[in-house]
Structure formats: C-alpha cells, structure tokens
Amino acid sequence: MNIKRAKEEIKNTIEAYLLKDEYGEYVIPQIRQRPVLMLGAPGIGKTQIMEQIAKECGIGLVAYTITHHTRQSAIGLPFISKKEFGGSEYTITEYTMSEIVASVYEKMEKTGLSEGILFIDEINCVSETLAPAMLQFLQCKTFGSHEIPQGWIIVAAGNPPEYNKSVREFDVVTMDRVKKIEVEPDFGVWKEYAVRQQLHPAVISYLNTRPSNFYKMETTVDGRKFATPRGWEDLSAMLEVYEKLGKKMDREVVVQYIQHEMAAKDFANYLELYYKYQMDYQLDAVLSGTIDPILLKKAAHASFDERLSVVSLLLSRCRNCFADLFRNDSVRELLYENLKVLKDGLLGAYSSQPLFFVEEITEALRKEGEQKKKAELLTRAQERIYRKTYGILEEYGKKLRDANAADGEAAFGYIKDWFEEYQDELEKAQEDGGRMLEYAFDFMEEAFGNGQEMVIFITELNNDFYSVKFLQEYECERYYRYNKELLFDESGQSIEKRLQELGR
C-alpha cells in the first residue's frame, strides 16, 4: 500500500488499541495489541508519518533507530542483587532499566501524556547480539525484564533485504505476532503531501513531468544510485534557503541530495529553465492584471515542457496566496475564541480590571501553545498560528494601556473595533486572492484557451488543499465552468461535493 494508506491504517490501529471500556480498561488488552511492522524501501516517509500520527492523535512519540544501540543500552546493565528463597539468601543477576523503556517514562513526565507510540526504526538490521532481544520485544513487549508501559503502542519499521545487506528475516513465530504493513512509493500521494507542505514549486513541477525520477534505486558497478522522496524534500528545503541567500544551485549541489547522476543532472537543467521562465513571463505583472501580448504569443508557441512550467509558476503563486489566507483565517478563529472569553470576563467579574484580564488571557494562550509545543503536538505552522494570535492579543493590551479604558465595557468596545478592523484586512486579502485567481484565468484563456494546459490548471487546483479551501468561500465562475466542461460531465458528482471531499 502507499504511505497515505499506511498512515490511515496505523491511526486506525492506535484508535482501536487505545479504546477503553466502561471500567477504564483497554478493550484490546496489551497482550493482544500486536506491534505494527512497516516494511518498505528507504526514504519513502515511514519515519515522518509517525511524527504526523502522534500529533494528529494527540499522543506522545519516542523514536529510536535500533542500529545505534548496543545490547546493554537496549536491555540494561547487569548488577548483582541478593534475594531470599526458602529461608536462604542467594546472589542473583538483575538489570538496570533499559534506556529505551526509561525514555518512554521520561517522555510521559516531560509532556504529561500517558499514552503514545514507541517507534523502533531499522528493527530488522540489529546486530546478532541484540536480535534475540528484538524478538522478545516484538513478542512480549519488553526490553529485558522491563515492560513497555500500558497505553504505549509499538510501531517498528524496516527495509526489505534488497535495500540493506544487514537485514535479517524474522521467523514465522515473530511475524505471527505483528501487524505487517508493506509500503511502496507512490508519487500521487507524495505530491498531495508536497503541495500541502508547500515544497518548492520547481521540485513539484519537475516531478510532474518526470514522475519516473521520483523514486529510483539502481545497482551499478559503481554502487547504488538512487533518488528518494526524502531526498527531494530535503533538496526543496535547501533550494528555498539558497534563493533567500541569493545563491545558485547547480548539478553539484543537486547530486548531494539526489544521488542518481542522470536524475540530478536533469533536474539541474530544468531548474535553470524554470528560473528563466520566471523572469521571461513577468508573472508578478500577470497576476496584477497586466498581460503583455508578446508574452501571450510566446506562451502559445512554446514547447510543452515550457508551457507546463508556466502553468506551474502560476499555480505556485496562487497556492502560496491561498495558504497564507488559510493560516490567517486559522489565526482569526483562534483569536475569536479567546475574545469570547474576554467578553465574558470584561463584562463580568473583571469589569474593574480590564487590562489585568487581557494580560491574563494572553499569557494563558501563550502557555497553552508552549505546553502543546513541549508535548510535540503542534506542527510548525500551528506553532506560528499560536504565536501570531497571542501577539495580536499583546498588541491589544498595549493599545488598551494607551487608551486608558475606564472599565471592562469600554475596554471590550475598543477590542471589538480592533478585531473588526482586522477582519476587514483579512476580507481585503481574500478579495485580492480572488482577483489574482481571475487574472491567472485571464492569462490561461488568452494563452492556451481550453486546451490541456487548462485541464492541468483546473486539476491541480482541485488537488491542492489550500486552493480547495479558498474556492469553498470564493465564487469563481470560470473555475466552476471549466470544471464542468473539462473534468466532469452532467451525470457525474457535483463540483460542490467534489470540493467538500477534497477539503476534508
């Protein structure tokens, strides 16, 4: 299965394992909670989805790469102890707590989360001395004599033997005690993720035209040559930074991430053209409503790869705008929830202490964000939403101090006015986003008509989370018309239903 389906299956497993009955006991007892074993090629996202799952399920995550451990660190160190049996004292060997089990307890204390995932990577690459302990771990959920705490679900990952010489196969007894999930690379699923995470548009558009280079693993006389999803994502991050620093990325840099010379060279050549098209087509002017007839003629007679690059450039600008609008709307929602609490307090118990109460609510929100960050429950984008929201509340507090509001009612009147001004700004940004999309359609129609470029443009809008969210609010007549004409017939599902499904 692909990584998206694997993530869904693991989330379902976690939900099932953590379900409790009316007595607070797990419906599936720990002894029957099979560890999940993911097997798949390196670099396809097995480790990354565990971080996503933990955040989305609101539980803890302890991750270990087992090849970095010795038998002593995994099981614990031996020490001599004395015990009495049948009236006689005996000297016995016991073990200190496993470093891995201790890490689970430390995570529980640090975050306050009593349930979570213990993720063991490269589990089938352990050393010969550690292999029996790993089998015991999978079968009995213990390291040495120490059990994994209840409420902590074991997920392990490994590579098939063709990708790693160190792989050792588990026997039938062990495999019969795990939930085995085989994961395969899938460009369509990765692209959905890449667009939502706003990976560099050059990477996305290149792989759109060269999907065969998304994942490559070849054995040659010179060793392994490969390109992986992890490599493309890391390359994207470096490409973003290079652009901010004004540096040029060439083949020598690309091959450091895409360790397949032909694919690296091909992408480096594409990147040069990508930057050239960005300059040639003056897209900032296009999306502001100024379209040069010479550019329209150039686009209409360009090669197919060039036309696709231009479409990709237009889409990336629109997507970035829609993503900013989505995040701003998330800030507005969080701010509104806190303003409702402010209203109750300012018009009630804290009427005589308006500034004090505003500062209290601001500090409470800041601490909530910090606690969730400490518990590793927030994505980077969510952290920024919290920071921006309590930043606005801090600004309201400063303005109130300057306004010298007499009581809570006067203070809330000021805050209400400021919030309405903020909403006006967001509505204007929404209108600007709508105009940008209309200008993009103007260019697409004049340059390409309703050809395959328009089909690609509409399809990509449909497959982008932020675009779908925007189009649920903004009425774009041409978007709906082209959807109907180019992608769906009258008897098919309605566009509105399609939008709702994609926006979930």
Side-chain angles (χ1 to χ4, degrees):
M1 65 180 66
N2 61 49
I3 197 72
K4 182 178 180 180
R5 177 65 190 278
K7 177 181 174 181
E8 181 183 342
E9 287 298 320
I10 295 171
K11 287 181 71 174
N12 289 343
T13 300
I14 289 169
E15 186 177 349
Y17 285 176
L18 296 183
L19 182 65
K20 296 179 180 179
D21 60 22
E22 64 270 26
Y23 302 108
E25 300 289 338
Y26 292 108
V27 174
I28 301 177
Q30 188 179 32
I31 192 64
R32 293 298 175 198
Q33 294 182 5
R34 289 191 172 200
V36 176
L37 175 61
M38 280 193 295
L39 294 176
I44 61 175
K46 299 188 296 295
T47 304
Q48 192 174 61
I49 65 166
M50 299 316 303
E51 297 173 2
Q52 298 170 14
I53 289 169
K55 286 181 172 66
E56 291 169 19
C57 293
I59 58 178
L61 173 67
V62 172
Y64 272 97
T65 300
I66 201 63
T67 50
H68 298 166
H69 279 270
T70 63
R71 187 175 185 276
Q72 287 74 23
S73 64
I75 295 177
L77 293 171
F79 67 91
I80 303 300
S81 176
K82 291 185 178 181
K83 286 192 176 182
E84 188 175 300
F85 300 111
S88 300
E89 188 176 73
Y90 296 89
T91 299
I92 65 170
T93 301
E94 293 193 75
Y95 288 86
T96 60
M97 181 175 281
S98 158
E99 180 184 317
I100 296 173
V101 176
S103 294
V104 173
Y105 283 107
E106 287 172 359
K107 177 69 73 170
M108 292 166 70
E109 287 190 7
K110 177 184 175 183
T111 64
L113 299 171
S114 60
E115 298 174 328
I117 301 166
L118 174 55
F119 177 63
I120 306 294
D121 201 7
E122 298 183 8
I123 194 166
N124 55 352
C125 294
V126 295
S127 64
E128 188 173 340
T129 58
L130 195 52
M134 285 301 99
L135 298 182
Q136 180 193 24
F137 168 65
L138 289 176
Q139 293 176 15
C140 306
K141 303 176 183 66
T142 61
F143 273 114
S145 58
H146 301 101
E147 290 187 11
I148 306 302
Q150 282 210 6
W152 282 76
I153 293 153
I154 297 169
V155 180
N159 300 322
E162 61 265 29
Y163 297 110
N164 195 321
K165 296 177 183 177
S166 303
V167 165
R168 59 179 64 247
E169 292 194 29
F170 293 138
D171 56 29
V172 173
V173 174
T174 302
M175 294 303 293
D176 194 36
R177 286 176 166 84
V178 300
K179 281 186 56 145
K180 178 184 170 186
I181 296 177
E182 294 186 357
V183 189
E184 298 177 350
D186 186 315
F187 173 64
V189 167
W190 181 85
K191 179 184 167 186
E192 182 182 325
Y193 161 81
V195 169
R196 184 160 182 173
Q197 295 298 314
Q198 293 183 278
L199 267 60
H200 197 285
V203 172
I204 297 172
S205 62
Y206 169 76
L207 292 175
N208 253 341
T209 58
R210 310 280 200 285
S212 61
N213 286 344
F214 165 64
Y215 190 90
K216 298 177 83 74
M217 189 70 66
E218 298 174 3
T219 303
T220 70
V221 293
D222 298 320
R224 289 274 190 177
K225 297 183 182 297
F226 55 89
T228 68
R230 181 194 296 138
W232 288 112
E233 184 167 2
D234 291 346
L235 176 66
S236 168
M238 183 58 76
L239 188 51
E240 297 275 4
V241 175
Y242 262 48
E243 289 180 352
K244 290 178 181 177
L245 295 174
K247 296 182 181 294
K248 181 182 178 182
M249 182 172 284
D250 57 18
R251 186 181 67 83
E252 298 300 324
V253 180
V254 175
V255 80
Q256 296 167 20
Y257 294 87
I258 308 303
Q259 298 180 47
H260 188 287
E261 291 180 6
M262 293 295 292
K265 181 180 178 181
D266 195 41
F267 177 74
N269 292 337
Y270 176 87
L271 188 61
E272 282 193 26
L273 290 172
Y274 185 87
Y275 286 138
K276 180 179 182 296
Y277 301 150
Q278 201 170 38
M279 296 290 293
D280 289 352
Y281 284 91
Q282 303 167 26
L283 293 182
D284 285 337
V286 168
L287 294 173
S288 297
T290 303
I291 303 177
D292 189 334
I294 296 175
L295 290 181
L296 289 173
K297 187 174 181 180
K298 175 180 170 63
H301 294 88
S303 67
F304 183 62
D305 277 0
E306 183 172 338
R307 297 199 303 272
L308 281 185
S309 295
V310 173
V311 173
S312 175
L313 284 164
L314 283 173
L315 282 166
S316 69
R317 301 294 180 88
C318 291
R319 283 169 175 161
N320 288 341
C321 173
F322 300 154
D324 288 342
L325 290 172
F326 177 82
R327 284 188 287 268
N328 287 338
D329 201 49
S330 298
V331 170
R332 172 168 49 185
E333 288 179 8
L334 184 56
L335 181 60
Y336 180 71
E337 290 303 313
N338 280 271
L339 292 187
K340 288 196 294 185
V341 177
L342 273 176
K343 179 181 179 181
D344 291 341
L346 292 175
L347 301 183
Y350 292 89
S351 178
S352 61
Q353 298 174 289
L355 186 57
F356 169 80
F357 189 58
V358 171
E359 290 173 348
E360 282 284 296
I361 294 299
T362 304
E363 182 64 11
L365 181 63
R366 185 185 65 78
K367 286 183 177 178
E368 179 185 321
E370 288 180 352
Q371 179 59 33
K372 287 185 176 181
K373 180 181 178 181
K374 185 178 179 181
E376 299 175 357
L377 296 178
L378 296 180
T379 64
R380 202 170 181 180
Q382 288 169 334
E383 284 180 40
R384 289 173 178 169
I385 289 167
Y386 265 92
R387 283 200 292 265
K388 187 167 182 179
T389 306
Y390 66 68
I392 292 172
L393 287 174
E394 285 175 349
E395 187 63 29
Y396 287 177
K398 291 176 184 177
K399 288 182 177 179
L400 276 179
R401 190 176 291 109
D402 294 338
N404 197 23
D407 54 31
E409 185 175 355
F412 185 73
Y414 283 122
I415 290 173
K416 183 180 177 183
D417 290 342
W418 296 329
F419 181 65
E420 287 176 354
E421 289 174 7
Y422 178 64
Q423 291 208 102
D424 290 341
E425 291 174 8
L426 296 188
E427 287 175 10
K428 182 181 181 303
Q430 185 91 353
E431 292 169 3
D432 291 342
R435 277 193 292 272
M436 174 186 283
L437 181 61
E438 298 294 351
Y439 293 144
F441 269 111
D442 290 343
F443 179 86
M444 291 293 300
E445 286 178 337
E446 294 185 46
F448 309 122
N450 63 349
Q452 55 189 336
E453 295 82 7
M454 185 66 82
V455 174
I456 292 168
F457 186 72
I458 296 295
T459 302
E460 291 298 308
L461 287 176
N462 282 342
N463 291 332
D464 172 40
F465 173 83
Y466 299 112
S467 299
V468 166
K469 286 293 184 183
F470 178 79
L471 287 161
Q472 285 177 317
E473 301 294 328
Y474 177 76
E475 291 289 334
C476 180
E477 184 274 331
R478 284 181 289 185
Y479 167 76
Y480 281 88
R481 173 159 51 86
Y482 284 119
N483 241 308
K484 191 172 182 179
E485 291 176 2
L486 303 179
L487 302 183
F488 301 104
D489 58 32
E490 292 284 355
S491 61
Q493 66 185 120
S494 70
I495 296 167
E496 289 81 2
K497 184 178 179 183
R498 171 73 169 164
L499 281 171
Q500 289 169 3
E501 289 176 351
L502 289 167
R504 285 173 185 165

